[in-house]
Amino acid sequence: MVKKIKQADIGKLLERWAKDYRIFVPSRDGEITRFDRWDGKDTGFLSIYRNTVVPAKSVFFPVKEEMFSYKKDSTGYQLKVPGPSMSKKLLFGIRPCDASALAMLDVAFKEGYEDPYYLEKRRDTVLVGMTCLRPYDSCFCTSLGGGPGESKNVDIMMTQVGDEYILEGITQKGEELLAGVEYFTDASEADISRLRSVKEGALKQITRKVNVKDITQRIYDVIENKEFWETSAIKCVSCGVCTFFCPTCYCFDISDEKEKGTGIRKRAWDSCQFPVYTKMPAENPREEKWRRVRQKVAHKYAYFPTLYGGTISCTGCGRCIRLCPVSWDITAVINSVPEKVTTESK
Amino acid sequence: MDKILQDNLRKEVKALFEQKKVDLVIGYETGPTKFTTTPVLIKNSEEADRLVINDFITSNLAKMLVKIKGKAGIVAKGCDSRSIVSLIQDHKVKRENIVIIGVPCSGIIDVGKISRLIGKEPDEIDDITREKDAVLVTSGSEKKSLPLKEVLYEHCLACDLSTPAECDVLIGEPASPPLDKVASLAKINEMEKMTAEQRWQYWKEQMQRCTRCYACRNVCPVCYCERCFVEESEPQWINIAPNWQDNLIFQVIRSIHVAGRCTDCGNCERACPVGIPLRSLVRKMYDIVDEMFHYKAGTNKDDLPLMASYETREAEELIR
Amino acid sequence: MEQNSEWKPQILGFLCKWCSYAGADLAGTSRKKYPANMRIMKIPCSGRIAPLFILKALRMGFDGVLVSGCHPGDCHYQTGNYRARRRIALTKKFLEYIGIEPQRVQASWVSASEANKFAQVSEEVTKEVKEVGPNRLFSDNGQNITG
């Protein structure tokens, strides 16, 4: 079903949903935007018309989290593990690229080993997506099977049309949430036609394109080409910005923090770009910067697709381009990977 | 910045390659999004036309000199040239292995500031043109003139050396940004008016946002340690997880470690993805160094580094 | 700042082996009276001090830190204390700027024969640290971390 709601009624809608769900909305935190618990009253966040700086993954895979803690008492060591997630979550205003990214994280945190921390937070979460009316010039989601109005990974897709929002029920869960809410009116034919043209307009605004035809094989073809990767890597400073703010990156490091008689085991975001990421006592296989940059590009466009059915683990959100201190551009690198070698082109 | 500077630069770089004075040149080229530039390393005179000089050449390229192989030409604004001098003082770079191409700088535009002032994101702005003491910003049919002082990077307003002194060739006439030290140090001065508790609370809040991405450290030309203190595990000085306490210690110690070598190029604050006002730390250190030891980083390549030298009598009032 | 009457300040003293540590030793053997609140760490020279040590000590929960070395000109290694002086000066000023009470970071020159001075420094530092109260700077909820 497709419904319509006035912007002024969004607050009431969220209050309604807040009875059953913990609501997360885009929020301002100083100069940046991130997903935080809705404060229960303010809908000023609706003016955040673009993607948040901190990706939605931070709700399920936070920058740091406690894995367990222990305390020594007279009887021995008492272990405390975080309890189960108390209530269902609803992420309001997630962008299609971040939603696609969550689908990839779902795979990464489940295949081979089921990560209890991520999965516990992730279960029973409803995603209410929001169409991007004004994508960044650094966005390139359309090249990767996405789009500013793409709804395939959310439960409900919202699009702002004038001072109203149109909501499309995508999954059964989404339909259930849309049913019987008195602030909604049914979307008319004219509404749906307007919705279509708004989404088309948004689509036209994506100007950045990346050539991913046969990209996995193309990358394997240059995988040992040191000069190619060195040229791509020369200006990189090996910080962790691109990976931390990438919605599909999921590396973490585990560390213990001990006090007298008590301790906490935490995990925190880690980056394959850090020089010490692969450092071991005997050697560091990615000592040179070009190897680390190659790893980042190849993981997203070759290794992940090889492991997980051809899915490129980049959603074209453009954060890496916007936030990189030296404006490194992954689309330039991908576009410079030579075309696939065929017997005809030899 | 003039187109003249850009033309001069390209001519000069071509000449350097033709005279075989350099194996490579580090400079700026057009960035991936509007009003950005990005570092580039060119290896022959054919690529010289990729080099640009404009109002957005923000990066401190001195960073790229550490570990470079071969004779390197490097495009350097005033602050960058001082960072190069800091590296020469620390013996990380040999003066004879580099050709410093000095760019007289009249200040770099902070597109973020413009963005906040006119309420439009950088990619929604069509044009930013500099005209004397103002900047004309066009977005669609809207045209707005903003005072130059309000849109330059804060550190530019307190620039101590806008035209490189240590350089092999200068590609234009000496220049300077409009100076306004009071505006540049406004945040620090605000801080000094607070009580100790308020200041600590302020930094505690700022450090909650730090993710320990190390962008600040990694863009800094004088943070060149092979193994940073945060990466030590025996002993482990601070926790790996980004707790505010450990984040604060990281930032404080980093500020102390760059004392006397930091030239307030502003790259750390610019690099921070979550908008922590790092300059309020490193610039304060810069001023402490100036007040206590009358020393400004990167002034004379034959000087000893600040922390490698001493006076027989100094700072005695702080010691019992 | 709460003043728990049971609270005793814990101060970490970095004493250089050749002068200050010997001076402290002499204060002990001469039966000088001075507060017992200082944990002493013997270092080869005051120049061994890194600002990181001072911050780590405060992070661990020490209420105050003292760095003590030979008088300028008398360093066993010639210039170690000069290096220490610059580092300590920068550290003190900077930590004060970010909101750490300056009384928590102290420095002194105590020679091997200055038993009285050591006792006096000990007395004064302990008194000043007592006045600023327990170090709650790095605690999230009132508890100190000592790991």
Side-chain angles (χ1 to χ4, degrees):
Chain A
M1 66 185 86
V2 185
K3 300 278 187 186
K4 200 169 63 164
I5 188 173
K6 289 204 193 45
Q7 176 161 331
D9 290 332
I10 297 249
K12 288 191 271 197
L13 172 65
L14 287 177
E15 277 170 20
R16 172 66 117 67
W17 281 343
K19 292 200 181 83
D20 299 313
Y21 294 90
R22 264 190 303 164
I23 313 271
F24 286 81
V25 297
S27 319
R28 289 194 172 82
D29 174 13
E31 276 174 35
I32 61 164
T33 47
R34 63 190 313 136
F35 271 90
D36 271 330
R37 290 286 304 277
W38 182 49
D39 67 1
K41 24 186 175 47
D42 187 20
T43 55
F45 67 84
L46 288 169
S47 65
I48 301 172
Y49 59 91
R50 294 177 130 171
N51 212 345
T52 53
V53 170
V54 183
K57 75 175 180 184
S58 66
V59 177
F60 313 103
F61 174 50
V63 70
K64 63 180 187 285
E65 68 178 313
E66 186 179 305
M67 297 174 76
F68 64 81
S69 62
Y70 67 85
K71 209 183 187 110
K72 190 172 183 183
D73 63 19
S74 50
T75 61
Y77 284 94
Q78 307 309 321
L79 228 60
K80 202 171 91 161
V81 186
S85 190
M86 290 282 55
S87 52
K88 304 176 282 189
K89 293 191 185 72
L90 186 142
L91 243 69
F92 185 87
I94 187 172
R95 302 290 169 172
C97 50
D98 278 4
S100 300
L102 282 181
M104 295 173 201
L105 291 185
D106 291 343
V107 167
F109 280 116
K110 197 160 182 192
E111 295 295 311
Y113 178 80
E114 290 186 13
D115 185 302
Y117 302 97
Y118 175 87
L119 292 171
E120 180 58 33
K121 291 191 191 63
R122 179 80 173 93
R123 74 181 173 90
D124 292 331
T125 300
V126 172
L127 299 178
V128 178
M130 183 76 77
T131 300
C132 296
L133 298 181
R134 283 136 86 181
Y136 284 103
D137 63 349
S138 39
C139 291
F140 54 102
C141 52
T142 52
S143 301
L144 293 155
E150 181 57 61
S151 55
K152 63 182 172 213
N153 293 113
V154 297
D155 296 292
I156 296 172
M157 192 67 190
M158 288 181 71
T159 308
Q160 187 180 10
V161 180
D163 64 347
E164 294 171 319
Y165 285 84
I166 295 183
L167 304 97
E168 304 167 72
I170 309 294
T171 61
Q172 193 195 347
K173 186 82 223 174
E175 302 262 308
E176 281 170 30
L177 278 166
L178 291 179
V181 176
E182 57 270 28
Y183 317 116
F184 291 150
T185 53
D186 284 327
S188 65
E189 281 299 322
D191 289 325
I192 294 183
S193 157
R194 274 195 304 161
L195 171 69
R196 216 173 283 136
S197 77
V198 162
K199 282 196 177 182
E200 270 164 26
L203 208 61
K204 284 201 189 78
Q205 293 186 52
I206 304 276
T207 52
R208 186 174 292 270
K209 299 270 159 46
V210 72
N211 174 13
V212 293
K213 185 165 183 302
D214 302 315
I215 187 61
T216 299
Q217 188 54 49
R218 281 158 58 202
I219 287 179
Y220 286 139
D221 287 340
V222 297
I223 204 79
E224 295 291 357
N225 186 338
K226 178 175 166 192
E227 204 193 313
F228 175 83
W229 298 110
E230 272 186 331
T231 311
S232 306
I234 188 65
K235 63 196 181 198
C236 172
V237 294
S238 296
C239 68
V241 170
C242 54
T243 49
F244 280 14
F245 293 86
C246 171
T248 67
C249 274
Y250 48 82
C251 282
F252 58 87
D253 195 6
I254 298 178
S255 59
D256 292 335
E257 297 177 6
K258 296 185 281 283
E259 313 169 19
K260 250 207 204 82
T262 79
I264 307 176
R265 174 161 290 181
K266 287 190 184 163
R267 76 168 174 197
W269 288 353
D270 200 358
S271 174
C272 58
Q273 300 306 292
F274 293 148
V276 294
Y277 182 76
T278 44
K279 188 172 168 65
M280 295 171 289
E283 61 164 324
N284 184 348
R286 293 188 206 137
E287 178 89 50
E288 301 99 315
K289 185 168 65 174
W290 67 268
R291 293 184 193 274
R292 298 193 289 273
V293 173
R294 175 181 69 175
Q295 161 63 21
K296 177 167 65 187
V297 175
H299 173 103
K300 301 222 168 284
Y301 286 81
Y303 307 153
F304 193 95
T306 302
L307 287 171
Y308 301 122
T311 308
I312 295 174
S313 74
C314 171
T315 58
C317 74
R319 286 183 180 91
C320 52
I321 300 172
R322 289 193 290 280
L323 296 170
C324 174
V326 295
S327 295
W328 188 82
D329 180 3
I330 198 169
T331 60
V333 176
I334 295 293
N335 287 338
S336 71
V337 175
E339 288 292 335
K340 181 165 157 191
V341 174
T342 58
T343 43
E344 293 97 60
S345 63
K346 278 224 180 83
Chain B
M1 301 273 186
D2 276 333
K3 198 170 172 304
I4 296 174
L5 286 178
Q6 185 172 292
D7 289 339
N8 288 350
L9 173 65
R10 291 175 181 178
K11 253 188 240 136
E12 184 59 47
V13 167
K14 285 178 182 146
L16 284 170
F17 275 116
E18 265 135 44
Q19 293 157 29
K20 296 208 195 317
K21 285 195 178 151
V22 293
D23 300 315
L24 53 99
V25 170
I26 300 166
Y28 306 93
E29 67 174 346
T30 308
T33 55
K34 265 200 205 142
F35 314 119
T36 59
T37 56
T38 187
V40 68
L41 191 147
I42 65 170
K43 296 203 175 124
N44 51 58
S45 63
E46 287 79 57
E47 293 186 301
D49 287 330
R50 282 169 76 175
L51 295 172
V52 300
I53 298 286
N54 56 38
D55 294 304
F56 313 106
I57 49 172
T58 45
S59 296
N60 188 334
L61 299 176
K63 178 85 210 182
M64 292 175 74
L65 282 179
V66 181
K67 278 204 193 164
I68 204 88
K69 290 194 181 72
K71 194 107 186 277
I74 177 159
V75 176
K77 318 186 288 288
C79 45
D80 307 339
S81 74
R82 288 171 60 205
S83 296
I84 297 174
V85 170
S86 285
L87 289 173
I88 294 170
Q89 288 173 344
D90 283 354
H91 301 299
K92 292 304 284 187
V93 165
K94 286 207 169 79
R95 180 66 181 92
E96 57 272 19
N97 286 353
I98 57 175
V99 176
I100 304 177
I101 306 166
V103 176
C105 179
S106 41
I108 304 295
I109 293 180
D110 181 353
V111 186
K113 272 193 182 174
I114 294 182
S115 185
R116 284 188 289 276
L117 283 169
I118 67 167
K120 288 232 155 58
E121 301 245 350
D123 61 335
E124 295 170 322
I125 299 173
D126 293 313
D127 188 68
I128 298 175
T129 309
R130 189 169 176 155
E131 303 173 333
K132 259 203 150 193
D133 296 320
V135 150
L136 193 60
V137 183
T138 316
S139 173
S141 54
E142 287 176 48
K143 268 188 179 23
K144 195 138 188 224
S145 178
L146 298 168
L148 190 60
K149 273 192 190 169
E150 285 183 27
V151 304
L152 291 182
Y153 274 100
E154 269 175 16
H155 61 273
C156 291
L157 298 173
C159 183
D160 273 329
L161 185 81
S162 47
T163 301
E166 180 72 41
C167 64
D168 294 288
V169 58
L170 210 56
I171 57 162
E173 294 302 308
S176 169
L179 295 178
D180 188 345
K181 210 161 174 190
V182 172
S184 184
L185 301 178
K187 282 204 195 102
I188 293 177
N189 290 332
E190 271 307 304
M191 197 84 71
E192 315 237 77
K193 292 187 196 137
M194 295 188 214
T195 65
E197 269 151 26
Q198 286 171 326
R199 275 178 263 136
W200 187 255
Q201 190 58 33
Y202 175 87
W203 288 113
K204 180 176 171 177
E205 276 164 24
Q206 293 295 330
M207 289 302 142
Q208 307 266 24
R209 254 183 293 134
C210 172
T211 59
R212 298 271 283 283
C213 69
Y214 300 120
C216 51
R217 176 193 72 180
N218 288 20
V219 289
C220 177
V222 293
C223 274
Y224 48 67
C225 284
E226 298 275 336
R227 190 131 166 222
C228 177
F229 75 92
V230 301
E231 287 151 10
E232 294 282 348
S233 56
E234 287 289 344
Q236 184 173 45
W237 296 107
I238 55 174
N239 291 313
I240 293 169
N243 313 305
W244 71 264
Q245 300 95 329
D246 300 298
N247 300 343
L248 182 55
I249 293 182
F250 165 61
Q251 296 295 349
V252 167
I253 293 296
R254 197 188 87 80
S255 306
I256 299 178
H257 281 181
V258 299
R261 302 171 313 123
C262 161
T263 62
D264 193 21
C265 72
N267 268 247
C268 49
E269 181 168 299
R270 186 184 64 86
C272 180
V274 294
I276 297 174
L278 295 172
R279 219 185 129 250
S280 300
L281 290 172
V282 296
R283 175 71 205 201
K284 178 63 189 174
M285 182 52 87
Y286 182 98
D287 289 332
I288 290 176
V289 161
D290 197 7
E291 280 164 37
M292 291 195 95
F293 306 114
H294 315 294
Y295 186 94
K296 282 212 165 78
T299 312
N300 184 342
K301 72 177 193 299
D302 299 314
D303 272 347
L304 277 176
L306 172 78
M307 301 313 282
S309 43
Y310 56 88
E311 299 288 321
T312 34
R313 265 188 166 49
E314 61 186 356
E316 281 299 325
E317 68 278 6
L318 298 172
I319 320 248
R320 290 184 190 280
Chain C
M1 223 160 305
E2 51 165 295
Q3 291 282 25
N4 189 344
S5 59
E6 282 180 23
W7 167 69
K8 288 191 174 55
Q10 284 239 36
I11 298 165
L12 183 59
F14 291 100
L15 306 187
C16 89
K17 157 185 167 160
W18 299 95
C19 286
S20 297
Y21 187 84
D25 236 1
L26 188 60
T29 53
S30 313
R31 301 286 183 260
K32 298 284 173 205
K33 279 220 153 41
Y34 57 89
N37 303 80
M38 199 182 302
R39 297 284 182 107
I40 291 172
M41 244 184 129
K42 180 164 71 170
I43 50 176
C45 173
S46 54
R48 178 70 182 88
I49 285 298
L52 190 48
F53 297 0
I54 298 172
L55 267 172
K56 177 75 173 173
L58 293 173
R59 169 86 162 104
M60 287 166 78
F62 281 102
D63 303 297
V65 179
L66 170 72
V67 177
S68 188
C70 310
H71 286 267
D74 298 337
C75 176
H76 182 87
Y77 303 100
Q78 312 305 318
T79 54
N81 53 1
Y82 292 133
R83 315 246 181 250
R85 186 169 55 188
R86 279 211 167 170
R87 279 176 217 151
I88 292 166
L90 288 182
T91 307
K92 268 178 79 76
K93 285 272 167 173
F94 197 67
L95 292 191
E96 186 177 353
Y97 169 71
I98 61 161
I100 295 183
E101 302 94 328
Q103 296 92 321
R104 295 200 191 277
V105 181
Q106 306 256 15
S108 64
W109 305 133
V110 172
S111 80
S113 57
E114 287 181 314
N116 277 328
K117 181 160 186 197
F118 179 76
Q120 187 193 351
V121 165
S122 216
E123 192 82 55
E124 287 170 7
V125 167
T126 307
K127 180 163 165 285
E128 287 185 10
V129 171
K130 238 196 194 130
E131 276 165 16
V132 288
N135 172 7
R136 291 270 140 82
L137 289 166
F138 290 100
S139 63
D140 261 327
N141 40 18
Q143 285 140 349
N144 274 332
I145 297 166
T146 51

